[in-house]
Amino acid sequence: MSTVGAPEVRAGTCQGCCPRPAWDRRRLLGLGAAWVVVGTSLPERSALAAPGTEALLLTCIDYRLTAATTRYMAEQQMGDKYDQVILAGAALGAENRKFPDWGRTFWEHVQLAIDLHRIRKIIVMDHRDCGFYKDIHGKDLAADPKQEFEVHAAQMHVLKADIGRRHPKLEVQLLLMALDGKVETVA
């Protein structure tokens, strides 16, 4: 059997036997790309800007505190006014030698939140009894609450100073959450 002169048929392509959907993948991608171009070219507007977004919240991955974190942000009238980045250890996740890519990811998210949502503040919320702090420091800091606070505060101040160097116009708020959801401000 010869294939000379036979039309080329590729697997997964329609040969006209099926009606073409009004919005196929190519058209949707083209529309999306056009929307981004138009949105970014508008004066004083960024594509997908979220009105009212005030802050970027950095928290830990610990499942024990997700509801308490959401509740705390709502109590601060920030319920729908923040973006969130989640890294194990929060401040320690953003600044550590064991996983340097996490820090790069954090800084990329900060820039994206500035560009897209025009955030004015970064809220860093560490928590007590953090497993990542135990892993990095090699000891259970929760056994000594005063030392635990000091270690978290020192790490958060390192990150705050780095934020100040990279983005001097951003306000930075440092918080430490207990397992019962109570939040302390770290000065």
Side-chain angles (χ1 to χ4, degrees):
M1 177 192 292
S2 171
T3 58
V4 175
E8 180 183 330
V9 176
R10 294 183 313 229
T13 61
C14 180
Q15 300 302 309
C17 60
C18 306
R20 185 174 187 163
W23 291 102
D24 64 5
R25 188 175 11 188
R26 266 194 206 128
R27 287 183 186 177
L28 286 173
L29 287 172
L31 180 62
W35 173 250
V36 168
V37 169
V38 169
T40 57
S41 65
L42 296 174
E44 298 302 314
R45 303 288 291 174
S46 56
L48 312 175
T53 305
E54 295 178 16
L56 176 67
L57 173 65
L58 171 63
T59 60
C60 183
I61 64 171
D62 196 319
Y63 69 93
R64 298 175 294 176
L65 297 166
T66 55
T69 300
T70 301
R71 188 170 40 256
Y72 175 82
M73 294 302 284
E75 289 168 357
Q76 306 306 306
Q77 281 69 53
M78 292 287 294
D80 59 352
K81 298 178 183 174
Y82 68 96
D83 292 329
Q84 188 169 5
V85 173
I86 301 171
L87 295 171
L92 186 57
E95 298 268 346
N96 73 83
R97 290 188 181 126
K98 187 171 183 179
F99 300 103
D101 288 338
W102 294 5
R104 284 189 285 279
T105 298
F106 171 72
W107 292 113
E108 289 168 355
H109 279 78
V110 168
Q111 190 60 56
L112 192 62
I114 291 168
D115 293 345
L116 292 181
H117 300 153
R118 294 189 168 80
I119 61 160
R120 298 181 300 278
K121 173 168 55 171
I122 295 179
I123 303 167
V124 180
M125 184 184 286
D126 275 16
H127 71 88
R128 291 187 179 272
D129 194 32
C130 180
F132 192 60
Y133 272 80
K134 287 177 193 173
D135 180 54
I136 295 295
H137 292 283
K139 65 188 245 181
D140 184 3
L141 296 168
D144 182 349
K146 184 176 184 242
Q147 181 187 24
E148 181 181 37
F149 182 89
E150 291 169 356
V151 169
H152 279 275
Q155 183 65 41
M156 287 190 275
H157 281 114
V158 167
L159 182 56
K160 181 179 181 177
D162 204 3
I163 293 167
R165 278 190 297 279
R166 294 174 187 232
H167 300 284
K169 293 181 181 179
L170 289 180
E171 177 187 339
V172 180
Q173 183 179 11
L174 307 177
L175 304 170
L176 182 64
M177 182 178 275
L179 294 181
D180 64 3
K182 291 183 183 160
V183 176
E184 301 173 74
T185 298
V186 176

mmCIF file of all heavy atoms in Angstrom, residues 23-42:
data_model
loop_
_atom_site.group_PDB
_atom_site.id
_atom_site.type_symbol
_atom_site.label_atom_id
_atom_site.label_comp_id
_atom_site.label_asym_id
_atom_site.label_seq_id
_atom_site.Cartn_x
_atom_site.Cartn_y
_atom_site.Cartn_z
ATOM 1 N N TRP A 23 -15.153 28.134 20.836
ATOM 2 C CA TRP A 23 -13.999 28.597 21.614
ATOM 3 C C TRP A 23 -13.051 27.429 21.842
ATOM 4 O O TRP A 23 -13.095 26.785 22.860
ATOM 5 C CB TRP A 23 -14.454 29.171 22.958
ATOM 6 C CG TRP A 23 -15.201 30.439 22.769
ATOM 7 C CD1 TRP A 23 -16.541 30.601 22.818
ATOM 8 C CD2 TRP A 23 -14.654 31.708 22.453
ATOM 9 N NE1 TRP A 23 -16.864 31.890 22.563
ATOM 10 C CE2 TRP A 23 -15.727 32.606 22.331
ATOM 11 C CE3 TRP A 23 -13.357 32.181 22.242
ATOM 12 C CZ2 TRP A 23 -15.555 33.935 22.028
ATOM 13 C CZ3 TRP A 23 -13.185 33.519 21.940
ATOM 14 C CH2 TRP A 23 -14.272 34.380 21.829
ATOM 15 N N ASP A 24 -12.195 27.170 20.890
ATOM 16 C CA ASP A 24 -11.208 26.115 21.078
ATOM 17 C C ASP A 24 -10.030 26.676 21.882
ATOM 18 O O ASP A 24 -9.957 27.849 22.197
ATOM 19 C CB ASP A 24 -10.772 25.512 19.745
ATOM 20 C CG ASP A 24 -10.043 26.491 18.834
ATOM 21 O OD1 ASP A 24 -9.782 27.635 19.253
ATOM 22 O OD2 ASP A 24 -9.739 26.106 17.695
ATOM 23 N N ARG A 25 -9.089 25.815 22.226
ATOM 24 C CA ARG A 25 -7.965 26.179 23.072
ATOM 25 C C ARG A 25 -7.141 27.327 22.489
ATOM 26 O O ARG A 25 -6.749 28.238 23.201
ATOM 27 C CB ARG A 25 -7.087 24.945 23.298
ATOM 28 C CG ARG A 25 -6.020 25.162 24.297
ATOM 29 C CD ARG A 25 -5.237 23.930 24.619
ATOM 30 N NE ARG A 25 -5.498 22.832 23.714
ATOM 31 C CZ ARG A 25 -5.052 21.607 23.872
ATOM 32 N NH1 ARG A 25 -4.306 21.326 24.894
ATOM 33 N NH2 ARG A 25 -5.311 20.656 23.019
ATOM 34 N N ARG A 26 -6.873 27.297 21.181
ATOM 35 C CA ARG A 26 -6.082 28.356 20.561
ATOM 36 C C ARG A 26 -6.756 29.713 20.686
ATOM 37 O O ARG A 26 -6.133 30.711 20.969
ATOM 38 C CB ARG A 26 -5.832 28.046 19.093
ATOM 39 C CG ARG A 26 -4.549 27.355 18.886
ATOM 40 C CD ARG A 26 -4.150 27.361 17.432
ATOM 41 N NE ARG A 26 -3.302 26.218 17.257
ATOM 42 C CZ ARG A 26 -3.444 25.293 16.359
ATOM 43 N NH1 ARG A 26 -4.384 25.386 15.467
ATOM 44 N NH2 ARG A 26 -2.650 24.269 16.314
ATOM 45 N N ARG A 27 -8.054 29.736 20.445
ATOM 46 C CA ARG A 27 -8.778 31.008 20.534
ATOM 47 C C ARG A 27 -8.803 31.526 21.969
ATOM 48 O O ARG A 27 -8.672 32.709 22.208
ATOM 49 C CB ARG A 27 -10.204 30.839 20.005
ATOM 50 C CG ARG A 27 -10.234 30.712 18.506
ATOM 51 C CD ARG A 27 -11.640 30.622 18.008
ATOM 52 N NE ARG A 27 -11.630 30.354 16.569
ATOM 53 C CZ ARG A 27 -12.703 30.161 15.866
ATOM 54 N NH1 ARG A 27 -13.894 30.203 16.440
ATOM 55 N NH2 ARG A 27 -12.625 29.931 14.576
ATOM 56 N N LEU A 28 -8.982 30.617 22.929
ATOM 57 C CA LEU A 28 -8.978 31.046 24.325
ATOM 58 C C LEU A 28 -7.611 31.570 24.735
ATOM 59 O O LEU A 28 -7.507 32.582 25.424
ATOM 60 C CB LEU A 28 -9.395 29.895 25.237
ATOM 61 C CG LEU A 28 -10.886 29.554 25.202
ATOM 62 C CD1 LEU A 28 -11.150 28.299 26.021
ATOM 63 C CD2 LEU A 28 -11.721 30.704 25.703
ATOM 64 N N LEU A 29 -6.538 30.887 24.325
ATOM 65 C CA LEU A 29 -5.196 31.369 24.641
ATOM 66 C C LEU A 29 -4.938 32.722 23.997
ATOM 67 O O LEU A 29 -4.361 33.616 24.613
ATOM 68 C CB LEU A 29 -4.132 30.357 24.195
ATOM 69 C CG LEU A 29 -4.035 29.093 25.035
ATOM 70 C CD1 LEU A 29 -3.084 28.094 24.382
ATOM 71 C CD2 LEU A 29 -3.597 29.407 26.437
ATOM 72 N N GLY A 30 -5.368 32.883 22.756
ATOM 73 C CA GLY A 30 -5.198 34.168 22.077
ATOM 74 C C GLY A 30 -5.955 35.274 22.774
ATOM 75 O O GLY A 30 -5.453 36.380 22.961
ATOM 76 N N LEU A 31 -7.171 34.979 23.211
ATOM 77 C CA LEU A 31 -7.967 35.959 23.929
ATOM 78 C C LEU A 31 -7.292 36.320 25.252
ATOM 79 O O LEU A 31 -7.218 37.489 25.624
ATOM 80 C CB LEU A 31 -9.374 35.407 24.180
ATOM 81 C CG LEU A 31 -10.330 36.327 24.932
ATOM 82 C CD1 LEU A 31 -10.565 37.604 24.124
ATOM 83 C CD2 LEU A 31 -11.638 35.616 25.194
ATOM 84 N N GLY A 32 -6.782 35.313 25.951
ATOM 85 C CA GLY A 32 -6.083 35.568 27.217
ATOM 86 C C GLY A 32 -4.852 36.423 27.015
ATOM 87 O O GLY A 32 -4.599 37.369 27.765
ATOM 88 N N ALA A 33 -4.074 36.127 25.988
ATOM 89 C CA ALA A 33 -2.873 36.925 25.708
ATOM 90 C C ALA A 33 -3.255 38.355 25.353
ATOM 91 O O ALA A 33 -2.615 39.313 25.795
ATOM 92 C CB ALA A 33 -2.071 36.285 24.583
ATOM 93 N N ALA A 34 -4.305 38.519 24.566
ATOM 94 C CA ALA A 34 -4.748 39.867 24.206
ATOM 95 C C ALA A 34 -5.194 40.634 25.449
ATOM 96 O O ALA A 34 -4.900 41.814 25.599
ATOM 97 C CB ALA A 34 -5.890 39.790 23.186
ATOM 98 N N TRP A 35 -5.903 39.970 26.350
ATOM 99 C CA TRP A 35 -6.362 40.613 27.573
ATOM 100 C C TRP A 35 -5.175 41.084 28.407
ATOM 101 O O TRP A 35 -5.187 42.179 28.939
ATOM 102 C CB TRP A 35 -7.224 39.644 28.377
ATOM 103 C CG TRP A 35 -7.577 40.203 29.725
ATOM 104 C CD1 TRP A 35 -7.132 39.780 30.925
ATOM 105 C CD2 TRP A 35 -8.418 41.319 29.994
ATOM 106 N NE1 TRP A 35 -7.642 40.544 31.925
ATOM 107 C CE2 TRP A 35 -8.441 41.504 31.384
ATOM 108 C CE3 TRP A 35 -9.150 42.188 29.199
ATOM 109 C CZ2 TRP A 35 -9.170 42.519 32.001
ATOM 110 C CZ3 TRP A 35 -9.882 43.191 29.823
ATOM 111 C CH2 TRP A 35 -9.884 43.349 31.197
ATOM 112 N N VAL A 36 -4.132 40.272 28.536
ATOM 113 C CA VAL A 36 -2.956 40.665 29.296
ATOM 114 C C VAL A 36 -2.292 41.873 28.660
ATOM 115 O O VAL A 36 -1.931 42.829 29.336
ATOM 116 C CB VAL A 36 -1.958 39.485 29.427
ATOM 117 C CG1 VAL A 36 -0.628 39.955 29.962
ATOM 118 C CG2 VAL A 36 -2.557 38.407 30.324
ATOM 119 N N VAL A 37 -2.138 41.876 27.335
ATOM 120 C CA VAL A 37 -1.513 43.001 26.647
ATOM 121 C C VAL A 37 -2.332 44.272 26.848
ATOM 122 O O VAL A 37 -1.809 45.317 27.210
ATOM 123 C CB VAL A 37 -1.324 42.701 25.143
ATOM 124 C CG1 VAL A 37 -0.922 43.951 24.379
ATOM 125 C CG2 VAL A 37 -0.296 41.603 24.960
ATOM 126 N N VAL A 38 -3.634 44.191 26.660
ATOM 127 C CA VAL A 38 -4.493 45.359 26.835
ATOM 128 C C VAL A 38 -4.457 45.810 28.292
ATOM 129 O O VAL A 38 -4.312 46.993 28.591
ATOM 130 C CB VAL A 38 -5.939 45.047 26.393
ATOM 131 C CG1 VAL A 38 -6.888 46.148 26.819
ATOM 132 C CG2 VAL A 38 -5.989 44.855 24.886
ATOM 133 N N GLY A 39 -4.577 44.872 29.218
ATOM 134 C CA GLY A 39 -4.597 45.222 30.639
ATOM 135 C C GLY A 39 -3.325 45.887 31.113
ATOM 136 O O GLY A 39 -3.356 46.821 31.902
ATOM 137 N N THR A 40 -2.177 45.427 30.620
ATOM 138 C CA THR A 40 -0.925 46.013 31.065
ATOM 139 C C THR A 40 -0.628 47.325 30.371
ATOM 140 O O THR A 40 0.210 48.082 30.825
ATOM 141 C CB THR A 40 0.261 45.046 30.838
ATOM 142 O OG1 THR A 40 0.311 44.702 29.460
ATOM 143 C CG2 THR A 40 0.152 43.827 31.706
ATOM 144 N N SER A 41 -1.320 47.619 29.273
ATOM 145 C CA SER A 41 -1.046 48.866 28.571
ATOM 146 C C SER A 41 -1.937 50.002 29.044
ATOM 147 O O SER A 41 -1.747 51.140 28.651
ATOM 148 C CB SER A 41 -1.215 48.670 27.052
ATOM 149 O OG SER A 41 -2.567 48.375 26.761
ATOM 150 N N LEU A 42 -2.916 49.714 29.900
ATOM 151 C CA LEU A 42 -3.767 50.769 30.415
ATOM 152 C C LEU A 42 -2.977 51.628 31.401
ATOM 153 O O LEU A 42 -2.254 51.109 32.234
ATOM 154 C CB LEU A 42 -4.991 50.186 31.116
ATOM 155 C CG LEU A 42 -5.947 49.399 30.225
ATOM 156 C CD1 LEU A 42 -7.026 48.755 31.078
ATOM 157 C CD2 LEU A 42 -6.568 50.304 29.178
#
